[in-house]
Amino acid sequence: MSSQSAPQAPQLAKVHDLTARRIERALARRQRYRYVQPEVRAHERGWVIASPCCSRNVDPSGGEIPIAWLEPHADGWSLYRRHHADSSWVLHSQAPWLAELLDIVCRDGSRVFWP
């Protein structure tokens, strides 16, 4: 009889750190605002990407703004964009793989993530 135990806290922390590093590596390939350093932060349900507001469209002082939220779930991932006018998150896309959503954030042809 085999007993499977739930992952221990250090194991979960490793997975969490690896996912954050994956997101950071993908952001290095982005097409917009390559001269700023976005931050990946743990969120209660995933990771939030925040970046200095280079265009000054959202924050005239160029302060840091949240731009995307990546949320894992049982059958894949959800990607949210920030609606800055009312400080809410709006579902943008869902995909079975994180890489698909990171590609959307990094290309951002419509400037919904990097305003």
Side-chain angles (χ1 to χ4, degrees):
M1 184 170 166
S2 165
S3 69
Q4 295 273 335
S5 61
Q8 302 296 320
Q11 290 173 319
L12 291 175
K14 278 185 185 177
V15 169
H16 192 78
D17 289 344
L18 289 173
T19 302
R21 278 190 250 146
R22 248 179 99 188
I23 296 167
E24 289 167 349
R25 275 195 316 268
L27 291 173
R29 299 185 313 264
R30 71 188 179 279
Q31 295 177 358
R32 297 204 176 278
Y33 303 118
R34 295 186 51 91
Y35 46 87
V36 299
Q37 184 60 42
E39 299 233 353
V40 177
R41 296 192 181 114
H43 179 271
E44 62 189 51
R45 295 186 335 247
W47 291 265
V48 170
I49 301 168
S51 178
C53 184
C54 299
S55 68
R56 316 260 177 177
N57 290 335
V58 176
D59 183 346
S61 68
E64 190 175 85
I65 59 170
I67 61 165
W69 167 29
L70 294 154
E71 179 185 35
H73 44 82
D75 56 345
W77 290 81
S78 294
L79 170 62
Y80 298 83
R81 67 174 181 83
R82 187 70 170 179
H83 187 268
H84 296 283
D86 65 9
S87 299
S88 66
W89 291 106
V90 177
L91 180 64
H92 182 278
S93 305
Q94 292 184 309
W97 306 108
L98 176 60
E100 293 176 53
L101 300 179
L102 290 172
D103 188 52
I104 291 169
V105 172
C106 290
R107 280 186 289 119
D108 194 24
S110 301
R111 293 183 60 177
V112 297
F113 297 100
W114 304 89

